[in-house]
Amino acid sequence: DTRQTAKGDIVCFVHADTRVPPQLVQETRRQLAKPDVALGAFRPVIVDDTRQTNNDKVMKFSSWHNANKTWIYPFLLKPYDACRGLRVVFGDQSIFVRREDFKQVGGYDEKLAIMEDADLCLRMHKSGAKTGRRRRIVQSHLPARTSG
């Protein structure tokens, strides 16, 4: 399990079909240098990679939906927390988090077969509750290309 063997202070979870932005390391460090940021992800760009070319067709509606559901769902289901920085990001967005924070909230819930990334977002956001300040989930403007 690479979550246990990785050595860095920042952990990034990437789906096998995702191409991360070249600035991944710099962007994750920049975002996580902000103490109120609990977790982050990249803007998903969903592509049709079935054409076997280097010019994958961007699926615009799917990309728009995947990027915007990070804030739409929290506003519909948890509006109070959404106003305080809750976003729900998903694995195809390449999630990044401080290793220590990930451990502190217990990591991914191994009992969940799906939506473990959404569960992690909720727990990371709530991790600041004891200090009276909920922690933000951010979405970088940089794209992560994926087949969804």
Side-chain angles (χ1 to χ4, degrees):
D1 189 346
T2 56
R3 290 174 290 178
Q4 304 302 322
T5 59
K7 303 278 189 252
D9 58 334
I10 294 174
V11 182
C12 187
F13 300 100
V14 182
H15 280 195
D17 65 343
T18 299
R19 289 177 273 165
V20 298
Q23 311 91 330
L24 176 130
V25 173
Q26 298 91 332
E27 182 66 5
T28 57
R29 290 197 182 283
R30 186 181 77 78
Q31 293 290 349
L32 294 175
K34 304 169 191 170
D36 65 325
V37 172
L39 177 145
F42 294 96
R43 179 176 51 86
V45 175
I46 310 299
V47 296
D48 176 3
D49 63 356
T50 60
R51 299 183 311 158
Q52 302 298 317
T53 68
N54 288 333
N55 298 325
D56 297 332
K57 180 182 179 200
V58 173
M59 301 172 71
K60 292 179 183 173
F61 179 77
S62 294
S63 296
W64 176 88
H65 177 263
N66 213 11
N68 288 294
K69 70 183 177 185
T70 66
W71 62 269
I72 292 171
Y73 295 153
F75 270 103
L76 292 174
L77 302 174
K78 292 190 166 285
Y80 180 80
D81 287 327
C83 290
R84 284 156 182 74
L86 174 63
R87 300 294 179 267
V88 177
V89 296
F90 300 92
D92 52 2
Q93 293 177 256
S94 303
I95 295 172
F96 53 88
V97 61
R98 291 177 201 86
R99 171 191 299 287
E100 204 52 47
D101 290 345
F102 183 73
K103 284 182 180 178
Q104 187 177 44
V105 299
Y108 281 118
D109 185 341
E110 301 287 335
K111 293 178 281 192
L112 297 175
I114 60 171
M115 301 300 287
E116 71 284 355
D117 36 17
D119 174 67
L120 178 66
C121 288
L122 293 170
R123 288 184 291 116
M124 291 296 293
H125 175 69
K126 291 177 181 176
S127 69
K130 291 178 183 169
T131 64
R133 182 173 180 156
R134 300 283 179 156
R135 301 186 63 207
R136 294 186 308 129
I137 310 295
V138 297
Q139 184 176 7
S140 170
H141 69 285
L142 297 175
R145 295 176 71 83
T146 181
S147 58

